[in-house]
Structures are given as C-alpha cells and as structure tokens.
Amino acid sequence: MANPRRLWLAITAAFMVNGAFYGIWAARIPAVANEFTLGHNELGILLLLLALGAIVCFPVAGRMADRHGAPLVTRILTLGKAVSMIGLALSPNVETLAISLFIFGASHGGMDVAMNAWASDVERVTKRTWMPSFHAMWSFGAGIGAISGYLAVSAGLTYSTHFLITSAVVPVIGFWGMQIPWGTTPKSSSEKTPLFPIPRGMLLIVGIFALCTTLGEGAMADWSAIYLIEVTLAEERIAPMGLAVFSATMVAMRLMGGLVITALGTTRAGIGSGLFATLGTATAIFAPSAMIAMVGFALMGIGYALAMPIAFSRAGNDPHIPPAQAIASVATLGYGGILLGPPIIGFLSEIVGLRGAFSILLILAFVMLALAPAIKTEATVTAEVR
C-alpha cells in the first residue's frame, strides 16, 4: 500500500479535478448564455440535460467501478470531462452545445461516483476519516475554477479559449496526482438492489434535509455569476467571484467539520447549518449590491458545508437499515439535488425573475432548520490530520 499521505493526495487530486472542471464551466455560464442568446428557460433546459447525463451515468459508473476498479474509472472519466469541455468550447450551435453538456454531465456524475468509491475504499484500508477533507478539496477545486474565470475575463479571453486551455492543463495535473499503485478487487453482489434507492421512514427526512442543501449548492454553482450580473448589476469580471467566495467558506467549514460536529453533536450542528443557510440566503436575496450579495453567498457556504456529512452520519448510524444501503438512499436524493437545482432556478426565473427564483432557496433553508432535530444520532467525526 502507498504511503497514507500519498494516498490522501491522490484522492484529493481526483476531487479537485472534478470540482475545478465544474467551477470553470459555472464561472463562464454568463458568457455561454450570451454567445448563444439563451434566455433563462433555454439555459434551464440545457442545465437539465447536464443533470440528466449525470443521473444516467450514476449506476453505470458504480457498476464499472465495482468491476474494473474505482481508480481506473476515475481516470477515464477525467479524460471524458476534458473531451466534453473541448466540445463545449468548439460547439457551433445550441444543438452541439446540448450534446456536449450531456456528455459533460455524464462524465461529471460518473466521476463523482467513482472517486467517492475510491475514497471510501482508502478510508476503510487506512482506517482514517478523510471524507470531509476530500469534499473540502472538491469545493476548493470549484473555487479555483471560478477564480480562473475571473482571471480569464480580466485577461479578455473568450470562454472557448479558456475551456481549451483548462481542458489541457487540468487533466495533466490530475493524472500526475492520481498515479499511485492501488490494488482493487472486483466486487459483485448477488443481492438485487434498486437502481436508484429511495430512503424511507426517518431516513426520508434525512434525505430531504440533504436535498434542501444540495439544491442550493447546485443553484449557487450555476447561477451565482448570472445573479450578480443581472440582480446586483455587477461587472462580468466580478461575477465569478461569487462562486469563489461561496466555495471558500465551504472549504473552510468542511476542514473544521470534524471538530464542529464533535463539539456540538449532529443535531446542534444541523440546526446551525439551517440558521446560517437561512441568514445567508436572505442576505443574498435582499442585497442592494454585489458585495452584500457575496456576504450572503459566504454565509450560505457555511450553512451548506456540513449538511451532507451530517446526513451521511445519521444514515450510517440508522438502527434499522444497514449502513451502506442507508447511505446510498440518502445520496440518491442528495446528489440529485445538486444536479436539479440549476434547472429549477432557470425555470422559476422565467416566471418570477431571478431574485424571486432564489427565494426558493430561502424556503429550503427554513425546511432544513425545521428538519434538523430529526438528525438525532450524536455520532462523532474524528478529525484526522494529513
């Protein structure tokens, strides 16, 4: 087995690559929408195609990871994301853009499944609790991607040039980081499991808690830049910084997540998540300027950061359902929320405007706050240092 620190760096590389590609795409959405003269409704449909590609690839990537090993599938889908980003850069019309987005979504969702499976395997073998830090690195990668958007716009680069450069650079860094020896044993199961398991009973409440936060996280990833431009009248070069600020606070809170949950317990930490999400969303919605809106985005990042780890902790300690099955059922709602949030905001914005559409995130934050007492398992999370 490779050195534990090297293993941590390898999985970190995978999470950062996945997050960086998503952040790069999200940061240049306003430019893509402007290039193809897309209204909110049309953009929402395209984002729905991205989500559909990911959802379709979830079970396929899981089965491939079990059969051929999660590291190999992670690397292949890293290449898939790079190729699809080249497609986004070179698309001459909306039709080819839609196809490229579907492939981008499929590669993104499949890689998410594979790298989390790899991370879980590494945790099991090393007996260390590293998952919160891995997810922090995804947010860090998304923030770097968003900052690259700011730099690209400031330098006068078109989104096509930006996408082509990053599609060459990001995979090279990722492959270098992920090249470690890691033996995997193909897995098979005789037990029939649902393609998309849905939580039941108390786990349904936990799943809805996760869904509320991931809908907001997905909406922030794809709409924060446009929100700053259209609602607060920010300059285009400033707009990507909204996602960067949001991602930065998520990284910071997730890195401290083990200590916070250990000190407060899952219930109080869940209530705190709901409070910060509510305060941050309200601040962003009623913000009179881009700077105030970004303060709201920062508070939203704090509120959203620990919700998924808390939900997974509750699911893994459910007294009635085996841990793996319980976590899988909650993850179905959780990851679905990340992908469905952007198109939902797009469709609603056509009816009530973008500020009004963001109000749905405030409602969801209130739901998080109301459901937090259901997260009763006082499981502690050990904060491991690298």
Side-chain angles (χ1 to χ4, degrees):
M1 185 181 75
N3 179 276
R5 180 184 294 271
R6 185 66 184 87
L7 284 172
W8 186 89
L9 290 173
I11 308 300
T12 291
F15 275 76
M16 286 187 65
V17 163
N18 189 272
F21 270 128
Y22 198 79
I24 291 163
W25 153 249
R28 302 311 300 268
I29 287 176
V32 174
N34 183 64
E35 174 70 19
F36 293 97
T37 320
L38 300 173
H40 291 172
N41 195 43
E42 292 84 359
L43 182 57
I45 292 173
L46 287 175
L47 295 176
L48 187 60
L49 282 174
L50 188 155
L52 180 62
I55 291 170
V56 167
C57 199
F58 278 161
V60 176
R63 284 165 172 74
M64 295 299 290
D66 282 342
R67 182 174 299 176
H68 302 291
L72 176 61
V73 176
T74 299
R75 295 179 186 118
I76 290 173
L77 290 174
T78 296
L79 183 60
K81 291 197 78 171
V83 171
S84 64
M85 182 148 280
I86 294 173
L88 293 174
L90 302 180
S91 292
N93 51 51
V94 175
E95 290 75 18
T96 53
L97 179 68
I99 294 171
S100 296
L101 268 178
F102 181 87
I103 298 172
F104 181 81
S107 300
H108 176 80
M111 185 178 175
D112 193 279
V113 170
M115 70 186 186
N116 272 285
W118 189 8
S120 179
D121 201 21
V122 167
E123 275 196 318
R124 180 183 58 79
V125 171
T126 60
K127 296 180 172 58
R128 303 193 185 195
T129 305
W130 280 338
M131 193 66 78
S133 67
F134 293 148
H135 282 263
M137 292 301 102
W138 188 95
S139 298
F140 184 59
I144 291 176
I147 290 172
S148 78
Y150 167 80
L151 296 175
V153 173
S154 298
L157 297 180
T158 65
Y159 76 85
S160 295
T161 302
H162 183 200
F163 286 176
L164 288 173
I165 292 173
T166 53
S167 67
V169 173
V170 174
V172 170
I173 297 173
F175 285 136
W176 173 79
M178 288 184 274
Q179 286 301 319
I180 59 168
W182 182 256
T184 57
T185 303
K187 304 170 186 175
S188 61
S189 175
S190 58
E191 181 182 354
K192 292 184 178 180
T193 57
L195 195 58
F196 297 103
I198 302 299
R200 295 171 293 177
M202 286 300 296
L203 280 184
L204 179 59
I205 295 177
V206 177
I208 294 172
F209 177 84
L211 178 66
C212 289
T213 184
T214 54
L215 276 168
E217 189 175 346
M220 283 297 299
D222 284 6
W223 287 99
S224 58
I226 294 178
Y227 186 89
L228 289 176
I229 291 173
E230 295 191 4
V231 176
T232 70
L233 305 180
E235 298 178 14
E236 184 182 352
R237 66 184 183 87
I238 297 297
M241 295 307 296
L243 178 59
V245 167
F246 174 79
S247 298
T249 55
M250 286 199 63
V251 169
M253 181 53 66
R254 281 177 169 170
L255 288 174
M256 296 187 298
L259 296 174
V260 171
I261 295 174
T262 298
L264 299 179
T266 53
T267 300
R268 290 190 184 92
I271 292 172
S273 293
L275 285 172
F276 273 101
T278 300
L279 179 60
T281 309
T283 301
I285 290 173
F286 297 107
S289 67
M291 290 301 296
I292 300 300
M294 284 195 277
V295 171
F297 292 168
L299 294 173
M300 290 168 71
I302 295 173
Y304 290 158
L306 298 184
M308 280 297 281
I310 288 170
F312 282 152
S313 176
R314 171 60 178 84
N317 287 276
D318 190 86
H320 307 295
I321 301 176
Q325 182 180 334
I327 291 174
S329 67
V330 169
T332 298
L333 283 181
Y335 287 123
I338 290 177
L339 299 166
L340 293 176
I344 288 174
I345 293 295
F347 296 142
L348 286 176
S349 66
E350 285 292 319
I351 302 171
V352 296
L354 196 51
R355 192 190 296 269
F358 262 60
S359 297
I360 191 67
L361 304 185
L362 183 58
I363 296 172
L364 293 173
F366 278 122
V367 174
M368 284 177 63
L369 191 55
L371 294 181
I375 317 298
K376 296 177 180 178
T377 300
E378 298 297 320
T380 59
V381 179
T382 303
E384 292 282 352
V385 295
R386 300 194 297 274

